[in-house]
Amino acid sequence: MKKNIINFLRSAFPFIAVIILWRLSIAFWNPAGILAIIPIFYCSFVRPVPWFAPFAVIFCFLIDYRFDSLIYWTVMYCLFYAANGFQSFIDLSRLDKNALQVFMAFFGVSTLILSFMNLNLDNLLRAIWLFAWVSTLYIPITALIKRVCDDR
């Protein structure tokens, strides 16, 4: 019984991590719950979790709702999901540092496009800060997910 509960919590951890990171929305440190994009990316592309893609689309939509960005993050996620599904050249699960470079490319391009929507110095500095902060937290959050989920 105890082992079943532990196995359930391990398999539910990626979902719980997304919910917690989205819910802990703080204006400067986690605007609109954007840190939830880390487990969304990791558990969709690097370490695919069953039934995670529909959950990820819902939470990308919720990030959009808090950002007042219509369906921007949802579209970016779906575009990357489609591009990843069509390509067979890069295996994201075998890249170094949990595919940090690919995540930085995905998040950097998305943040850059979003900052160009209303271009001014304040938005550009905010985009640079957000990119640096989310990219820095990618390794510890993905390491935690890997450690909790793979320790069987």
Side-chain angles (χ1 to χ4, degrees):
M1 176 76 171
K2 183 180 176 183
K3 191 167 188 119
N4 289 339
I5 293 172
I6 291 173
N7 285 338
F8 171 76
L9 290 175
R10 282 189 180 139
S11 60
F13 186 74
F15 300 94
I16 294 168
V18 170
I19 293 169
I20 289 172
L21 287 172
W22 177 76
R23 193 73 184 121
L24 291 174
S25 177
I26 302 169
F28 185 73
W29 299 106
N30 188 11
I34 194 65
L35 288 179
I37 205 78
I38 295 171
I40 287 172
F41 180 87
Y42 182 71
C43 295
S44 294
F45 303 115
V46 181
R47 186 188 177 276
V49 173
W51 295 99
F52 196 80
F55 181 79
V57 169
I58 290 169
F59 269 88
C60 284
F61 180 76
L62 291 173
I63 291 170
D64 285 327
Y65 176 74
R66 281 201 176 158
F67 252 125
D68 288 333
S69 61
L70 213 51
I71 56 169
Y72 179 75
W73 288 104
T74 308
V75 168
M76 294 305 285
Y77 171 80
C78 290
L79 284 174
F80 195 81
Y81 194 83
N84 187 50
F86 284 123
Q87 67 90 23
S88 60
F89 183 68
I90 301 171
D91 184 12
L92 296 179
S93 62
R94 295 177 190 228
L95 292 178
D96 295 349
K97 299 178 186 169
N98 298 330
L100 174 64
Q101 297 83 2
V102 178
F103 174 76
M104 288 173 69
F106 162 72
F107 191 74
V109 168
S110 301
T111 306
L112 185 66
I113 293 170
L114 193 60
S115 67
F116 282 147
M117 298 289 185
N118 185 12
L119 188 60
N120 61 30
L121 185 61
D122 187 43
N123 282 346
L124 192 59
L125 291 175
R126 188 176 295 125
I128 291 170
W129 158 251
L130 192 61
F131 174 75
W133 178 244
V134 173
S135 297
T136 302
L137 289 180
Y138 181 80
I139 294 291
I141 291 173
T142 57
L144 178 67
I145 292 170
K146 184 188 283 188
R147 183 175 178 122
V148 168
C149 295
D150 288 345
D151 191 31
R152 293 181 188 217

